[in-house]
């Protein structure tokens, strides 16, 4: 009977071990299932990250292209500003020249007027000639003044363009 008890205990012990092993196998199967689900989720996450990286790289390329275009546009604006600054300097120089020319013409007109006054008693021919000379000088003066106004307007426009740049 002792042997039977031992056999029964051995059989029970084997049954308990078998139940333990089945429980362990079941746990391992559950762990494997969880691991497979985790792997699947990781693959999905990885694919999503790859797509996001592609989008970021595309955006970076667009930004680099925009930066290049903006840099070129800024250089074109700087170049235009430099051209306008040179044109403004030329216009100022021309304006100064016209002012000097106007002063000279004004002096000539003043001298001619004085001469006309002093020669009041002189012959009509000389008076007529001086009047014509004065009229011509006045016309020249009017022409130069008109050119001066045009230059001043051009200078103003150039200044505004330069300021806008």
């Amino acid at each position: 009977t002792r042997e039977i008890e031992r056999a029964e205990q051995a059989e029970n012990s084997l049954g308990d071990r078998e139940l333990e092993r089945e429980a362990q196998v079941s746990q391992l199967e559950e762990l494997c299932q969880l691991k497979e689900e985790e792997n699947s989720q990781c693959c999905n996450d990885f694919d999503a990250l790859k797509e996001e990286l592609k989008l970021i790289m595309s955006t970076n390329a667009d930004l680099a292209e925009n930066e290049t275009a903006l840099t070129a546009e800024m250089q074109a604006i700087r170049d235009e500003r430099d051209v306008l600054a040179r044109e403004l300097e030329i216009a100022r120089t021309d304006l100064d020249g016209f002012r000097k020319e106007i002063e000279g013409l004004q002096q000539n007109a003043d001298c001619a007027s004085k001469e006309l006054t002093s020669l009041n008693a002189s012959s009509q021919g000389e008076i007529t000639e001086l009047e014509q000379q004065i009229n011509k000088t006045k016309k020249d003066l009017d022409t130069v003044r008109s050119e001066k106004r045009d230059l001043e307007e051009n200078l103003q426009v150039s200044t505004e363009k330069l300021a806008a740049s």
Side-chain angles (χ1 to χ4, degrees):
T1 62
R2 212 160 212 244
E3 286 183 19
I4 294 175
E5 281 178 20
R6 276 192 204 166
E8 286 176 357
Q9 283 179 351
E11 187 178 326
N12 285 340
S13 177
L14 283 175
D16 289 342
R17 283 189 202 157
E18 190 174 319
L19 287 175
E20 283 179 24
R21 283 191 183 147
E22 285 179 13
Q24 287 176 347
V25 166
S26 178
Q27 284 178 343
L28 287 174
E29 286 175 346
E30 287 176 14
L31 286 174
C32 283
Q33 180 64 31
L34 285 173
K35 194 66 173 169
E36 285 178 14
E37 289 173 6
E38 278 182 20
N39 283 344
S40 176
Q41 184 61 42
C42 284
C43 287
N44 290 340
D45 290 348
F46 182 73
D47 290 342
L49 288 172
K50 282 195 320 190
E51 290 302 315
E52 192 174 331
L53 179 61
K54 286 179 188 175
L55 180 62
I56 288 170
M57 290 173 66
S58 173
T59 301
N60 282 348
D62 291 345
L63 289 174
E65 191 174 304
N66 288 343
E67 180 184 9
T68 302
L70 286 173
T71 300
E73 190 173 329
M74 285 173 51
Q75 186 58 46
I77 289 170
R78 284 186 194 111
D79 293 345
E80 184 178 348
R81 184 192 63 206
D82 292 344
V83 167
L84 289 172
R86 285 191 296 274
E87 287 177 0
L88 178 63
E89 189 58 36
I90 290 169
R92 284 182 179 155
T93 302
D94 289 348
L95 185 60
D96 289 342
F98 282 120
R99 284 183 181 144
K100 288 177 184 174
E101 193 174 329
I102 288 170
E103 288 173 10
L105 290 172
Q106 186 67 46
Q107 288 173 356
N108 287 344
D110 291 345
C111 287
S113 179
K114 287 177 185 176
E115 194 174 323
L116 179 62
T117 303
S118 70
L119 295 175
N120 196 9
S122 296
S123 71
Q124 190 62 33
E126 289 177 359
I127 292 173
T128 304
E129 184 181 324
L130 282 174
E131 286 175 342
Q132 289 174 348
Q133 202 175 26
I134 289 171
N135 288 337
K136 182 181 181 301
T137 302
K138 285 182 180 179
K139 285 181 185 177
D140 290 345
L141 182 59
D142 289 341
T143 301
V144 169
R145 284 182 178 154
S146 174
E147 290 176 355
K148 176 189 170 198
R149 278 191 300 276
D150 291 345
L151 274 174
E152 286 173 339
E153 289 173 7
N154 287 340
L155 178 62
Q156 181 66 30
V157 169
S158 294
T159 303
E160 290 172 0
K161 284 183 181 178
L162 184 58
S165 296

